[in-house]
Amino acid sequence: MPTLFITLYRLIKAVYSCFGDREFRALGVATLTLLACGTLFYHNIEGWRLPDALYFCVMTITTIGYGDMVPTGDLSRMFTVVYAFVGIGVFVALAAKLATGVVQSDHRNSDTEQ
């Protein structure tokens, strides 16, 4: 259990340190915008509840894709194709930027300890 808290602490610390990076903030805003647009689209077009639509969007851009929810209409399917390509790209870029922040944060900490 302590390992979980240490890892969460490191993650929160890295996110906080990344907020100074303009590109990280832009990717964060882009990710949140994509999630909001996708959620509203599926809510309005598919008739899904907002939590279900958000869940589907997160599962899609993180490439988990359980398959428990699927778009039924042609418009929704075409939207999902575009949404997946754009969303996965933006999410991977955000995750890479965060990983860089974690590594740099660890590197700075190890430099100050020596």
Side-chain angles (χ1 to χ4, degrees):
M1 193 68 150
T3 306
L4 172 66
F5 291 118
I6 291 169
T7 303
L8 283 175
Y9 172 75
R10 287 180 58 211
L11 177 63
I12 291 168
K13 189 173 162 186
V15 169
Y16 181 75
S17 71
C18 285
F19 269 107
D21 184 0
R22 190 170 159 177
E23 185 179 349
F24 179 80
R25 287 193 314 266
L27 287 167
V29 168
T31 300
L32 292 175
T33 302
L34 280 167
L35 288 172
C37 290
T39 298
L40 291 174
F41 177 86
Y42 293 114
H43 174 69
N44 291 323
I45 302 301
E46 288 289 323
W48 294 345
R49 296 178 324 117
L50 287 174
D52 292 334
L54 176 62
Y55 164 81
F56 178 79
C57 290
V58 170
M59 292 303 110
T60 300
I61 69 170
T62 58
T63 70
I64 293 171
Y66 288 124
D68 54 345
M69 299 178 72
V70 293
T72 55
D74 289 341
L75 176 63
S76 295
R77 288 182 181 136
M78 291 303 106
F79 177 82
T80 302
V81 169
V82 173
Y83 181 79
F85 278 117
V86 174
I88 292 168
V90 170
F91 180 73
V92 167
L94 179 67
K97 200 70 171 162
L98 182 58
T100 301
V102 169
V103 170
Q104 287 175 348
S105 176
D106 285 350
H107 182 68
R108 281 191 297 265
N109 289 341
S110 67
D111 286 346
T112 58
E113 291 174 1
Q114 293 177 355

